[in-house]
């Protein structure tokens, strides 16, 4: 178990390092994007290769409002609710049965 905990800790530190790098690159892109004119050669080269996902994300963030509307679920009929209830009851009964065997 100790080896697993160590592996998790190693991966978490790697994730933290990568997130820091991503934030730094995003900040640099935002700074450079604001200072570079749209008609510059570097912009046209980028568009010929395709835009990066971070460029798409920043463009989408600028065009969309901050708050997203909540998604509404389709209401379930009584028969659908009963079917889900029976299915989940059977699922959890099976889980309890498997846990008792261990």
């Amino acid at each position: 178990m100790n080896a697993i905990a160590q592996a998790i800790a190693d991966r978490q530190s790697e994730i933290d390092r990568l997130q820091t790098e991503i934030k730094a690159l995003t900040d640099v892109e935002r700074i450079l994007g604001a200072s570079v004119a749209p008609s510059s050669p570097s912009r046209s080269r980028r568009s010929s290769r395709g835009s990066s996902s971070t460029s798409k994300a920043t463009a989408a963030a600028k065009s969309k409002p901050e708050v997203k509307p909540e998604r509404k679920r389709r209401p379930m009929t009584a028969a659908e609710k009963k079917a889900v209830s029976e299915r989940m009851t059977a699922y959890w009964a099976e889980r309890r049965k498997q846990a008792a065997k261990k």
Side-chain angles (χ1 to χ4, degrees):
M1 211 43 145
N2 193 15
I4 293 174
Q6 182 61 38
I8 290 172
D10 292 343
R11 294 304 182 270
Q12 187 61 44
S13 64
E14 188 176 342
I15 288 170
D16 294 341
R17 182 185 58 81
L18 290 172
Q19 286 176 337
T20 303
E21 287 181 22
I22 289 170
K23 183 184 179 316
L25 289 171
T26 303
D27 292 343
V28 168
E29 183 182 29
R30 190 178 325 119
I31 291 168
L32 291 177
S35 64
V36 176
S39 61
S40 71
S42 64
R43 282 279 193 206
S44 62
R45 269 196 326 226
R46 174 184 268 175
S47 63
S48 66
R49 290 183 293 175
S51 61
S52 67
S53 61
T54 55
S55 296
K56 290 179 184 176
T58 53
K62 290 178 183 177
S63 64
K64 292 184 180 178
E66 290 286 327
V67 179
K68 291 183 180 180
E70 288 188 32
R71 291 179 56 178
K72 305 268 180 174
R73 289 187 177 186
R74 180 181 60 84
M76 295 174 67
T77 65
E80 289 172 325
K81 288 179 186 177
K82 184 175 181 182
V84 169
S85 175
E86 290 172 355
R87 186 176 72 237
M88 294 308 295
T89 301
Y91 169 79
W92 285 109
E94 182 65 27
R95 293 275 304 234
R96 284 191 300 276
K97 189 166 121 180
Q98 291 296 324
K101 287 183 180 179
K102 292 183 180 180

